[in-house]
Amino acid sequence: MSRFHILMRISRKYIYITVIAVLMAIAAAVSRMYYSSPAPSAAVTVEEQQYLLLTDEEGHDTLRVFVYPGKDTLVATAGDSLFLRRITRKRQASWVNRLWLPSCFGLAACHTDSMEERRLAAIPADAVPKLLRQELANLNTLQRKYCMLLSEIDYYMHSHDMQDEGFDVVIRHREKVLHKQDSVSTLTAAIQRLCRAKGFRVENQSAYSIVYGKERFKAKESVTLRKGYKVFRTTDDGARLFFRQFKADGFRPVYLGADDIGYGETPSKALSAPADTVIRRIPSRGQNLVAIYCKGGGYYEGEYSDSLKARHGFGIGFDSHVRAGKWENGVFKGEQPVYSANHIYGIDISRWQHELSGKKGYRTVVKKVKRGKRWRKIRVRQKIVYPIQWDRLRITSLGTMSKKKVNGPVDFPISFVYIKSTESTSIKNDYYRNDYAQARRHGYKVGSYHFFSTKRSASAQAAYFISNSRYSSGDLPPVLDLEPTEAQIRAMGGEKVLLRMARQWLETVEKRWGVRPILYVSQSFINRHLSSTDVKTDAWHIKTNYNIWIARYGEYKPDVHLIFWQLSPDGRVAGIKTPVDINIFNGYATAFKKTFAKE
């Protein structure tokens, strides 16, 4: 072959190469222009999960650990799906092409922020035992809180019914607490097993997913030369079919080298520990309802004021107590019951339901008196005694000292009667025995009470009450009426002396009659003298071990554990001439029968 022909072949070869290079350059330039503008179809989300896997040397027991930067440590079992949701970092990303020609086969790119892209905090193997001990202590504290809350919820359910506003919320929250309690128990057992291990292994774990609408693809981090960005590639076999369908629908990824890759330009934020308080809106019509989650298990569901930034209106709060009722500017005012015939009502009576006080209790009558052989008329002052018409008893008024929500007219039946028997060591109610007999004869649950004196010994008062009172099968528990003034408390030696004597009276009567008495006090007495949290005090013992009957003449139910609530001192009852104390049992018929089934 001549030299000319050889040169021609070489020149053609270079021409072809040059032409191909030019065409590629043109295609690249066109593609860079076409794929530089972002499109909505290019928007995706990359979900990233990075955590530490903690196992024993044999790999039998496993825990997942995540350390928030500079703050809390999150520990969970391998099967806890909530753990993965809480540590998932979501990155706004865009589908992208490679550096030159269009070549998107499941690539997603997102912008990174060097201040936020912190490496997962490592845990040295020798620091694991301390970490586990601390987590066990936290879990034990949390479990105690859940147990106390469940006890409060069960108390609430015992004294309420489905007809009470908010009862359904309490039931739902009880199921949540039970579920959390089970989760804490499972995690505690797993940590305790791991604590017994001789050694530990700590391994880094990571998982990535690319999410587009309802489609989710597993992915892995890929290498990119562009600084400030991360690139992820899908690893699912089904992704290719998905992208073929995308291209048929005109799908256009963004060019990776473009100045703006669109939806991947927003850097992701570092994960932070959950906030101490999280407020979520509850869909409603015409009401501003929220659910407030507090760190440590506290929860509130109900009305909320955006202007006051506080709980305001009707709501149910769960912390160490269940508080269902009215809130004002974040302060719980109390439960506001709706009174109806479905409740269990009762009265307490004394001599003042047979007599009027002062001059009204007497009338002047004319009597004939024989003096010598002649009869003379004289005026005599005579006490007026009003009998109780036991077959007519119905509550016709709940009193006028406070506002009350009443469903329908007040015409409520009476289910129980408490009768004053004694006071101090020398005062007896002359009408007690007849009233006691009549109340039992007419089918009422009957109980007796003693008015406590600060000037006589507790043992003497208990003996006087027992000897002058009756307690039969089916009766309500006896009651100690404790109403001293602050001056009387100081005169007898102070609060400790009073509570020691009250406890002695309660224990003496319980030992003699075999039934635990009830303590009758005012709301102010509870606040001042029975608020101690020291388990060694008589105050704590009395409040913990005895049912409380509270006198509180307001529209809101007392925010304490109670058996009876005296809601007014000026009620009216058909069949009784004078004003009467109106009481309500803290519950409904089923609870009333169950509570006093053994009495």
Side-chain angles (χ1 to χ4, degrees):
M1 185 179 295
S2 65
R3 182 179 296 177
F4 175 77
H5 289 92
I6 293 173
L7 290 174
M8 286 295 292
R9 286 189 175 184
I10 293 174
S11 62
R12 287 177 181 174
K13 182 178 180 180
Y14 281 109
I15 290 171
Y16 294 150
I17 293 174
T18 301
V19 170
I20 292 172
V22 170
L23 292 174
M24 291 180 63
I26 293 173
V30 172
S31 67
R32 291 185 64 161
M33 294 175 61
Y34 179 73
Y35 290 103
S36 290
S37 58
S41 60
V44 291
T45 301
V46 176
E47 294 183 352
E48 176 184 285
Q49 297 170 344
Q50 289 188 333
Y51 57 92
L52 299 173
L53 195 63
L54 179 61
T55 60
D56 59 12
E57 288 183 331
E58 299 178 353
H60 292 160
D61 297 303
T62 303
L63 291 176
R64 291 170 171 171
V65 181
F66 184 88
V67 181
Y68 292 103
K71 206 171 182 183
D72 296 346
T73 300
L74 184 62
V75 181
T77 58
D80 189 347
S81 59
L82 179 61
F83 171 85
L84 294 178
R85 291 200 299 271
R86 289 180 62 180
I87 68 160
T88 298
R89 177 185 290 185
K90 296 184 178 181
R91 304 176 183 273
Q92 295 301 311
S94 298
W95 289 121
V96 295
N97 286 303
R98 277 298 187 183
L99 292 176
W100 298 106
L101 295 175
S103 57
C104 176
F105 293 104
L107 288 176
C110 56
H111 183 58
T112 61
D113 188 330
S114 59
M115 294 300 294
E116 301 292 353
E117 294 294 329
R118 299 172 179 170
R119 289 184 175 274
L120 187 65
I123 301 177
D126 57 357
V128 169
K130 182 179 179 181
L131 169 68
L132 296 180
R133 287 195 299 270
Q134 181 61 48
E135 188 63 19
L136 274 180
N138 295 339
L139 291 175
N140 289 333
T141 301
L142 191 58
Q143 192 70 286
R144 286 194 294 271
K145 288 184 178 179
Y146 287 148
C147 288
M148 291 176 61
L149 182 54
L150 280 176
S151 176
E152 291 294 318
I153 290 175
D154 289 342
Y155 166 78
Y156 178 91
M157 294 177 65
H158 172 77
S159 58
H160 291 76
D161 194 76
M162 285 296 297
Q163 59 193 298
D164 290 314
E165 188 176 9
F167 190 82
D168 58 326
V169 177
V170 177
I171 292 178
R172 280 191 280 108
H173 193 67
R174 185 178 188 276
E175 295 303 314
K176 292 180 182 178
V177 174
L178 287 173
H179 178 73
K180 290 179 180 179
Q181 198 176 41
D182 290 341
S183 299
V184 169
S185 297
T186 301
L187 181 56
T188 300
I191 294 177
Q192 288 174 340
R193 289 195 301 268
L194 203 56
C195 283
R196 294 190 288 267
K198 297 179 180 179
F200 307 94
R201 293 202 305 268
V202 182
E203 303 173 358
N204 287 333
Q205 300 290 315
S206 60
Y208 307 96
S209 298
I210 298 178
V211 182
Y212 180 84
K214 296 182 179 180
E215 301 290 341
R216 179 182 294 273
F217 306 109
K218 292 182 180 179
K220 64 179 181 180
E221 189 173 354
S222 186
V223 178
T224 180
L225 299 177
R226 186 170 186 188
K227 293 183 178 180
Y229 287 85
K230 280 191 172 186
V231 174
F232 302 89
R233 178 187 291 277
T234 59
T235 58
D236 282 349
D237 293 336
R240 292 184 178 274
L241 296 175
F242 176 75
F243 288 112
R244 287 177 185 174
Q245 180 65 35
F246 252 24
K247 290 182 178 180
D249 294 340
F251 167 67
R252 176 162 57 86
V254 179
Y255 171 56
L256 179 58
D259 293 335
D260 179 8
I261 65 169
Y263 298 92
E265 279 295 316
T266 303
S268 66
K269 295 182 179 180
L271 290 175
S272 58
D276 291 342
T277 302
V278 178
I279 300 178
R280 294 178 182 172
R281 301 289 172 182
I282 299 176
S284 64
R285 294 181 179 179
Q287 284 184 300
N288 187 11
L289 301 180
V290 301
I292 302 178
Y293 301 84
C294 302
K295 203 167 187 179
Y299 178 75
Y300 169 84
E301 184 172 322
E303 294 181 75
Y304 186 82
S305 171
D306 289 326
S307 60
L308 297 173
K309 302 297 181 184
R311 308 171 187 190
H312 195 75
F314 180 83
I316 304 97
F318 301 88
D319 38 51
S320 57
H321 297 282
V322 178
R323 293 185 169 94
K326 188 174 182 180
W327 299 72
E328 287 185 0
N329 197 15
V331 177
F332 183 64
K333 300 294 292 183
E335 183 178 343
Q336 193 173 24
V338 178
Y339 300 98
S340 67
N342 293 327
H343 289 282
I344 302 298
Y345 298 95
I347 58 175
D348 59 276
I349 59 176
S350 64
R351 61 175 284 198
W352 302 116
Q353 274 62 58
H354 295 275
E355 304 175 7
L356 295 176
S357 60
K359 295 181 179 179
K360 294 181 180 180
Y362 295 86
R363 61 187 172 191
T364 302
V365 297
V366 177
K367 285 189 175 182
K368 288 184 178 182
V369 179
K370 188 175 183 181
R371 290 182 178 178
K373 295 183 179 181
R374 301 180 61 182
W375 289 87
R376 294 181 178 274
K377 293 181 179 181
I378 62 172
R379 294 180 178 273
V380 179
R381 195 178 180 211
Q382 188 181 61
K383 182 187 293 184
I384 302 173
V385 176
Y386 298 100
I388 293 178
Q389 298 173 312
W390 291 95
D391 56 348
R392 292 187 56 219
L393 298 189
R394 299 280 294 188
I395 296 175
T396 58
S397 172
L398 296 179
T400 60
M401 291 187 66
S402 66
K403 297 179 181 178
K404 296 177 178 66
K405 291 183 177 181
V406 180
N407 185 9
V410 177
D411 183 23
F412 302 150
I414 293 173
S415 299
F416 62 92
V417 179
Y418 265 100
I419 308 170
K420 181 178 179 179
S421 174
T422 54
E423 179 177 340
S424 187
T425 57
S426 59
I427 301 174
K428 293 189 295 184
N429 176 12
D430 294 334
Y431 305 99
Y432 169 76
R433 290 193 175 274
N434 182 63
D435 286 345
Y436 177 89
Q438 289 293 332
R440 283 181 59 90
R441 185 175 299 118
H442 284 81
Y444 295 107
K445 277 278 190 177
V446 186
S448 307
Y449 74 91
H450 171 81
F451 191 91
F452 192 79
S453 171
T454 58
K455 296 181 179 181
R456 298 290 184 268
S457 71
S459 57
Q461 292 189 67
Y464 186 69
F465 171 74
I466 292 170
S467 63
N468 290 281
S469 306
R470 298 190 62 183
Y471 177 76
S472 303
S473 176
D475 285 355
L476 295 174
V479 171
L480 175 62
D481 186 345
L482 195 59
E483 302 182 54
T485 65
E486 293 302 309
Q488 289 173 331
I489 295 175
R490 289 192 296 270
M492 71 181 302
E495 175 187 286
K496 290 184 178 180
V497 176
L498 171 68
L499 296 180
R500 183 176 69 248
M501 291 177 63
R503 180 176 175 178
Q504 184 180 359
W505 188 98
L506 294 167
E507 291 177 345
T508 301
V509 173
E510 180 178 359
K511 185 177 180 180
R512 176 65 177 82
W513 279 351
V515 59
R516 183 160 294 185
I518 296 171
L519 179 65
Y520 173 95
V521 289
S522 65
Q523 180 73 62
S524 60
F525 187 93
I526 289 279
N527 298 339
R528 290 182 180 180
H529 305 297
L530 291 180
S531 58
S532 174
T533 57
D534 185 354
V535 298
K536 296 181 180 180
T537 61
D538 290 321
W540 184 90
H541 178 85
I542 290 173
K543 191 174 180 181
T544 304
N545 291 279
Y546 291 90
N547 284 325
I548 305 295
W549 178 0
I550 284 186
R552 183 182 184 184
Y553 310 138
E555 62 180 311
Y556 298 116
K557 183 178 177 181
D559 183 27
V560 293
H561 284 188
L562 72 158
I563 191 74
F564 298 118
W565 171 23
Q566 189 178 98
L567 53 92
S568 67
D570 60 341
R572 288 291 178 175
V573 175
I576 299 180
K577 179 72 173 179
T578 63
V580 185
D581 294 339
I582 305 298
N583 302 277
I584 187 169
F585 171 71
N586 191 27
Y588 292 90
T590 302
F592 185 76
K593 292 177 181 178
K594 184 177 180 181
T595 301
F596 301 115
K598 298 180 180 180
E599 306 300 345

